[in-house]
Amino acid sequence: MRSTHYTVNAPLNLNIALVSDLHCYPYKEVLERVGEEKPDIIAVPGDIMENTANHSVTAPFNQPGFAFLSALTAIAPVYYSIGNHEGGMSEENRTLLKEAGITLLDNAFLHAHGLCIGGLTSPLPYEKHHAEKTPSPNLEFLSRFANEQGFHLLLSHHPEHYPAYIRSTGVELIVSGHAHGGQWRIFGKDIYAPGQGLFPKYASGMHENRLIVGRGLANTVFPIPRLGNPTEAVFIHLRRGES
Ligand SMILES: [Fe+2]
């Protein structure tokens, strides 16, 4: 696992950990790494669990992801948005997340830590979570969020939403996952991501000083194992007067 650090110009100083796409894989090392960095907040743009529409977060299918999120709350406040594996989050699961101290932002925002923090929900229901084309997210919510006062941090599971819907808004910082760094990285190029296809532009890295895409935390084997593309924890340092 690698740690990647980015510094972003902002009206305030704040340290943000970005963790995504655990998919219920082992998390001990990630937890230790995040704890060492002592972030002020933790942003989680989805796909930590596997199927929260049809299984309890405490069931074996989801439990490692839920345990990971719960453990993160001991480090810093956790803000979590819904990925394509979590579409159709059940009411029971929402209650369990709340009781564990995890703030779910399901097409919702709040003001905290000097930021306006929003979560843009994946538009894919669990039954279609492997769809190759990503439909439009909730644009009414996105517009309402973007028009809110303050420095905006948006959790958006799908990075492909950035060029399609978010770039034209005034949202200052967007964190995403989903693309798993292109799964393979060969000759400096990310190879494939669902929703973007071959040689995806937004599978990792920082783009236009606004969009930061994490490579994810799962050593997934779909359809063949990661290659040249280690899992990644990302640390974003908002700093006054820097870029
Ligand atoms: Fe995803």
Side-chain angles (χ1 to χ4, degrees):
M1 186 179 72
R2 72 161 66 155
S3 292
T4 306
H5 293 259
Y6 299 100
T7 301
V8 174
N9 189 30
L12 74 167
N13 293 333
L14 197 81
N15 296 316
I16 304 168
L18 160 59
V19 292
S20 71
D21 303 276
L22 183 76
H23 291 284
C24 287
Y25 275 70
Y27 59 83
K28 184 170 174 281
E29 189 186 0
V30 190
L31 200 59
E32 288 171 359
R33 193 75 62 92
V34 174
E36 286 162 11
E37 290 290 334
K38 298 186 171 54
D40 297 304
I41 65 170
I42 302 171
V44 188
D47 276 9
I48 296 301
M49 292 180 271
E50 277 300 274
N51 177 351
T52 54
N54 305 308
H55 299 271
S56 171
V57 293
T58 58
F61 205 56
N62 293 313
Q63 196 276 338
F66 181 58
F68 173 62
L69 292 176
S70 303
L72 285 174
T73 65
I75 298 172
V78 174
Y79 298 95
Y80 169 48
S81 71
I82 291 180
N84 54 310
H85 279 257
E86 295 143 340
M89 179 80 74
S90 73
E91 284 306 317
E92 180 206 350
N93 283 342
R94 289 170 195 269
T95 302
L96 289 165
L97 287 167
K98 195 172 180 186
E99 286 172 357
I102 299 151
T103 302
L104 179 67
L105 295 170
D106 177 4
N107 286 328
F109 64 82
L110 50 72
H111 292 269
H113 316 285
L115 304 173
C116 182
I117 308 172
L120 185 63
T121 298
S122 171
L124 291 167
Y126 180 77
E127 289 67 29
K128 294 184 178 169
H129 69 285
H130 278 142
E132 277 307 307
K133 277 198 96 144
T134 314
S136 164
N138 185 328
L139 298 179
E140 184 276 326
F141 161 72
L142 181 60
S143 169
R144 207 156 31 86
F145 169 69
N147 287 324
E148 193 70 11
Q149 290 290 314
F151 186 90
H152 301 79
L153 167 64
L154 180 65
L155 284 58
S156 168
H157 182 66
H158 298 271
E160 61 269 31
H161 285 338
Y162 175 72
Y165 309 105
I166 303 170
R167 180 191 273 134
S168 59
T169 73
V171 172
E172 290 89 350
L173 180 61
I174 304 100
V175 293
S176 294
H178 186 59
H180 295 198
Q183 190 71 2
W184 315 287
R185 187 167 172 84
I186 302 170
F187 301 123
K189 285 208 174 300
D190 298 332
I191 301 301
Y192 176 80
Q196 296 185 71
L198 279 171
F199 305 113
K201 187 169 180 184
Y202 305 102
S204 62
M206 178 155 75
H207 303 266
E208 300 172 21
N209 287 317
R210 295 170 73 194
L211 170 68
I212 295 176
V213 187
R215 290 179 175 273
L217 295 163
N219 260 316
T220 46
V221 294
F222 164 81
I224 61 169
R226 282 173 178 261
L227 181 69
N229 173 36
T231 58
E232 181 181 52
V234 176
F235 301 97
I236 304 165
H237 309 284
L238 302 188
R239 289 294 178 266
R240 282 195 195 94
E242 291 186 32
S243 60

